[in-house]
């Protein structure tokens, strides 16, 4: 591992503590969604993404790093995996993820419909989207767990 990567890895590890579930909880600054933020090359990036790239490998274009443990502030590489953003439209995804969820005032899906969406297997996103009158990409996010993490 090149020196710069070791240095970055040490910086990351210095800013987290392990909890009883084995999560490496980020103790540095977090965004409003609970994701840890870290400065790399003068850019603010999400700590769990940095951890993934350092310890696991490059994140393929258009993929997001998800948590097995459902803990946004966790940076344990063993708890991270990459998942597809269904429409690859990352910008829309980032903007959209703040808007959904009960209590945001703009929620179109409630907890019950999220459960139903997740139980529908083998049906095209487009068809489910038509049923719930939302965009196919939103159904994708619900399915992948990027939105509505609180619903098991
Ligand atoms: Zn974890």
């Amino acid at each position: 591992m090149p020196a710069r990567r070791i240095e970055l890895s040490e910086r990351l590890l210095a800013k987290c503590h392990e909890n009883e579930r084995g999560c490496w909880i980020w103790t540095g600054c977090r965004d409003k969604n609970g994701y840890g933020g870290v400065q790399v090359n003068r850019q603010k990036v999400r700590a769990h993404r940095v951890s993934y790239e350092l310890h696991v490998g490059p994140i393929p274009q258009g993929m997001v790093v998800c948590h097995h443990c459902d803990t946004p502030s966790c940076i344990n590489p063993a708890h991270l995996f990459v998942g597809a953003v269904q429409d690859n439209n990352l910008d829309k995804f980032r903007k959209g993820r703040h808007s959904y969820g009960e209590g945001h005032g703009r929620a179109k899906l409630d907890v019950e419909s999220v459960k139903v969406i997740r139980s529908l297997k083998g049906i095209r996103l487009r068809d489910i989207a038509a049923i719930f009158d939302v965009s196919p990409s939103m159904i994708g996010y619900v399915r992948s767990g990027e939105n509505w993490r609180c619903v098991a």
Side-chain angles (χ1 to χ4, degrees), residues 114-125 127-128 131-132 139-140 142-145 152:
V114 168
K115 284 179 182 164
V116 172
I117 290 164
R118 290 199 178 144
S119 71
L120 295 170
K121 309 274 186 225
I123 299 176
R124 290 185 307 176
L125 294 180
D127 298 330
I128 303 174
I131 295 168
F132 290 94
I139 300 295
V142 168
R143 270 194 171 169
S144 68

Side-chain angles (χ1 to χ4, degrees), residues 19 21-25 67-71 74-76 79:
N19 73 4
R21 293 171 61 205
C23 289
W24 300 359
I25 302 297
H67 288 84
H68 287 299
C69 58
D70 223 16
T71 307
C74 173
I75 65 160
N76 184 345
H79 293 186

Side-chain angles (χ1 to χ4, degrees), residues 1-15:
M1 208 191 262
R4 279 178 69 96
R5 290 173 71 88
I6 292 171
E7 189 255 347
L8 185 55
S9 176
E10 284 174 352
R11 255 173 69 201
L12 278 184
L13 297 181
K15 276 201 167 184

Side-chain angles (χ1 to χ4, degrees), residues 126-142:
R126 217 185 303 160
D127 298 330
I128 303 174
I131 295 168
F132 290 94
D133 195 26
V134 295
S135 68
S137 54
M138 185 163 168
I139 300 295
Y141 306 150
V142 168

